[in-house]
Amino acid sequence: MSSPVARPHYFTTFELILLTLFSALVVVDKIVLHLPLDLPGHSGITWMAILVVARGLVPKAGALSLVGLLSGLLAAFLGLGDLGAIYTVFSYLASGVGVDLIALFLGGVEPIAAAALAGIVGNVAKMLVKTGMAVLLQIPAGFVALGLLYSFFTNTVAGLLGGLLGWLLLRALRRAGFFLYLAEKR
Amino acid sequence: MSQKTRIWIVVAALVVVAAVLAGVGFLSQNQATQAPATTPQPGMIHLYVNGSFAANLLPAEMQKLPAATFVDKEQGKTQKGYWLRDVLQLYVKENALSPSTQITFTGSRQGTEKSATVTWAETLDPANHILFSPSNDGTSVKIAATMDKLATRDNWIQGLTQIGVQTK
């Protein structure tokens, strides 16, 4: 009689723990870090850096969508965001899905261009979801019309900087031997 | 497909998104300007005078006003926007406003409605710094001030949806 073979899970427990910690870090970043920049989407500088590092450490499709969903739920429970829980969850999820899709399309975030584009798309995806929901929910957002392109531009620049920062952090972690340490843990 | 081609595809997609946003922004601005002034339009801040609808607050008209700033007491940050007195005078004749006129702001944040009332005299007082302040990303407007009842983020009216003016 053959014993049933357990199907391996897509994410290992260690990876899930890592992704959960990154989700918490995204929320902590949003609460604690306030850059003295008066520009739409500037929080993407640190936010996208965290997402790019997370994707570099757990290089599996769907990893960042999971981080987006978890951080969105966490943020919603903590009352972050101005326009309600659904709005918060979707905007956080959009960032994760955006970075995930770009990493999937470009084969990871190791090359500097891929990391930069992942940051840009993640931050822009968040902005698009926020704007789209404001329109759908008919939130008084008449001022959106004035700044859509400006907001896109600042979100792009912040995402680009975030992607580059994430790439630099990944490189520093690789040089410090963190990837070898992770390989042992997996 | 080479990595370089993929990168260019993503860049091209971003350029398309930027072009679409520019188009949507232009159309929305036109639509807002041409919206009927006699009925409340969805997605805009509504002004009521003595219970009757008076106007949809138009972003294009706000831009004609002088920019205003103050440093908030709570976190020492600079708040930007337009003085509320200037915004109201765009839609309500000054002779219709007396010092005791009540101005009520209603806002919605996290699905909860909140409102606050000030008088026209308080609005005119420069020490109160009552500001009509669009958010950085332009998706909402808040009423912030330095006067005690509107001095903290908890007291600010965020996600402004309506302004009511009661002259009688």
Side-chain angles (χ1 to χ4, degrees):
Chain A
M1 213 166 94
S2 61
S3 61
V5 180
R7 221 178 75 196
H9 294 288
Y10 183 63
F11 291 116
T12 65
T13 307
F14 182 72
E15 285 169 340
L16 285 174
I17 291 170
L18 263 183
L19 293 176
T20 310
L21 288 174
F22 275 109
S23 308
L25 194 57
V26 166
V27 179
V28 170
D29 164 56
K30 193 69 186 158
I31 297 171
V32 178
L33 278 181
H34 294 281
L35 299 176
L37 294 171
D38 202 14
L39 296 169
H42 71 270
S43 63
I45 297 175
T46 46
W47 189 336
M48 295 309 126
I50 294 169
L51 293 188
V52 167
V53 171
R55 185 59 174 79
L57 296 184
V58 183
K60 287 182 179 175
L64 263 285
S65 302
L66 189 63
V67 170
L69 181 65
L70 282 175
S71 56
L73 289 171
L74 206 54
F77 278 112
L78 289 171
L80 295 184
D82 294 341
L83 301 163
I86 295 173
Y87 186 88
T88 304
V89 171
F90 276 108
S91 62
Y92 279 65
L93 180 62
S95 287
V97 172
V99 176
D100 237 352
L101 288 176
I102 291 302
L104 194 64
F105 187 61
L106 299 178
V109 289
E110 281 70 34
I112 188 166
L117 283 173
I120 293 171
V121 172
N123 216 27
V124 167
K126 171 169 64 77
M127 173 228 156
L128 290 178
V129 164
K130 278 175 143 185
T131 309
M133 287 191 74
V135 173
L136 276 178
L137 301 174
Q138 299 195 333
I139 293 161
F143 289 84
V144 165
L146 292 175
L148 269 181
L149 199 57
Y150 169 68
S151 192
F152 175 83
F153 177 72
T154 55
N155 271 278
T156 299
V157 173
L160 171 73
L161 293 174
L164 294 177
L165 182 61
W167 180 82
L168 285 172
L169 286 169
L170 275 176
R171 194 177 66 161
L173 287 171
R174 190 171 288 111
R175 284 181 178 174
F178 192 68
F179 280 79
L180 292 174
Y181 167 79
L182 281 182
E184 284 169 18
K185 287 286 172 190
R186 280 190 181 105
Chain B
M1 205 190 297
S2 72
Q3 176 81 345
K4 207 173 172 182
T5 313
R6 286 168 190 265
I7 287 171
W8 279 114
I9 289 173
V10 177
V11 172
L14 285 167
V15 172
V16 170
V17 171
V20 169
L21 288 177
V24 170
F26 178 75
L27 286 176
S28 309
Q29 216 171 337
N30 270 1
Q31 215 174 11
T33 322
Q34 289 162 7
T38 50
T39 51
Q41 295 300 307
M44 300 188 88
I45 296 165
H46 307 142
L47 176 72
Y48 289 83
V49 177
N50 296 325
S52 304
F53 174 75
N56 296 298
L57 270 56
L58 293 175
E61 288 182 358
M62 302 287 152
Q63 287 191 313
K64 295 174 197 161
L65 298 173
T69 59
F70 76 85
V71 176
D72 74 66
K73 284 180 180 174
E74 194 182 16
Q75 290 185 9
K77 287 186 178 170
T78 302
Q79 303 299 326
K80 295 177 182 171
Y82 312 100
W83 295 127
L84 180 72
R85 56 177 183 264
D86 295 337
V87 173
L88 285 178
Q89 282 172 353
L90 278 176
Y91 301 96
V92 187
K93 284 181 183 155
E94 201 174 358
N95 56 18
L97 300 161
S98 67
S100 61
T101 294
Q102 304 268 303
I103 300 150
T104 303
F105 319 108
T106 307
S108 177
R109 193 181 189 213
Q110 292 278 0
T112 312
E113 277 218 342
K114 193 173 164 186
S115 61
T117 301
V118 296
T119 63
W120 179 238
E122 286 172 326
T123 308
L124 288 177
D125 186 346
N128 287 334
H129 298 107
I130 305 180
L131 196 72
F132 179 95
S133 171
S135 67
N136 281 338
D137 59 4
T139 54
S140 67
V141 174
K142 66 174 181 281
I143 297 288
T146 50
M147 64 193 295
D148 285 345
K149 60 181 164 187
L150 285 169
T152 63
R153 279 157 181 76
D154 267 355
N155 293 335
W156 289 352
I157 301 299
Q158 312 224 28
L160 187 69
T161 54
Q162 187 178 308
I163 299 177
V165 178
Q166 200 66 39
T167 60
K168 305 163 205 165

